[in-house]
Amino acid sequence: MNLTPYVDSLRGEFLLTAEAAGKETLGVAESLAASLDASVRLTLLSALSTAADEISRDLAPGAVDLRLRGLEPSFVVTPPSAGPGAEDLPAGGGAVENGTVIPAAEDEGAPARINFRLPEHLKARIEDVAGREGLSVNAWLVRAVAATLNGAGRSEPRPPSGDQHNVGWVR
């Protein structure tokens, strides 16, 4: 989605309003208009993100995510699954992976934001896997974290270093 026409339209309306107040005001408005570009884009992104969250709540267990590539946002729609296991979903939405119910976002309250930094090579791998699974990076990360916290994929705890022993079969 190209935000430039919306930003340009707002800039034009701003300058048109300033022009009506006189040439001196127009000069001040022109100098302010350039610095408003980033603020307007950020405000539009915030509105789009809020809209995607509201749509996701109504679409659960499907989702709408907002992705930002460069300066351009795009929507990624993950429709509700109609495949095997869809009838086993909890009434409030969610997903079932390896027999573990992963709650939908509304089961845990309102969505929250978190920023974290990770190595570029790991980010690329996450994007690749999420794309192969037909999920946004955000949806994939939410599922991965929920599965980990629910115990899926946990290995057996290691014995303390002083109490090492082997378990298994010997021929």
Side-chain angles (χ1 to χ4, degrees):
M1 168 179 232
N2 185 2
L3 294 180
T4 302
Y6 302 100
V7 174
D8 289 345
S9 175
L10 185 59
R11 182 185 298 117
E13 293 294 327
F14 180 69
L15 293 175
L16 187 62
T17 302
E19 185 178 30
K23 290 189 180 207
E24 184 177 314
T25 304
L26 178 60
V28 172
E30 285 174 342
S31 64
L32 290 174
S35 64
L36 285 177
D37 185 78
S39 296
V40 169
R41 284 182 186 276
L42 186 59
T43 301
L44 287 173
L45 287 173
S46 179
L48 291 172
S49 179
T50 300
D53 286 343
E54 288 180 17
I55 294 168
S56 289
R57 278 193 293 274
D58 292 341
L59 190 61
V64 175
D65 294 304
L66 184 66
R67 286 187 183 170
L68 186 61
R69 297 208 183 249
L71 294 176
E72 302 305 327
S74 63
F75 290 104
V76 177
V77 178
T78 306
S81 174
E87 63 278 356
D88 298 329
L89 290 176
V96 178
E97 284 187 13
N98 301 328
T100 302
V101 175
I102 299 174
E106 61 270 16
D107 291 347
E108 299 294 325
R113 293 178 188 258
I114 185 171
N115 293 327
F116 79 105
R117 301 182 199 294
L118 67 160
E120 185 65 36
H121 71 280
L122 186 56
K123 178 181 178 280
R125 289 179 59 196
I126 292 170
E127 289 172 339
D128 183 49
V129 172
R132 282 196 311 255
E133 293 182 17
L135 297 171
S136 68
V137 169
N138 186 68
W140 188 88
L141 286 170
V142 167
R143 284 187 179 181
V145 169
T148 300
L149 293 175
N150 286 333
R154 282 192 188 158
S155 61
E156 290 296 317
R158 292 183 179 176
S161 59
D163 188 29
Q164 293 184 359
H165 60 279
N166 294 323
V167 177
W169 297 94
V170 177
R171 282 191 178 179

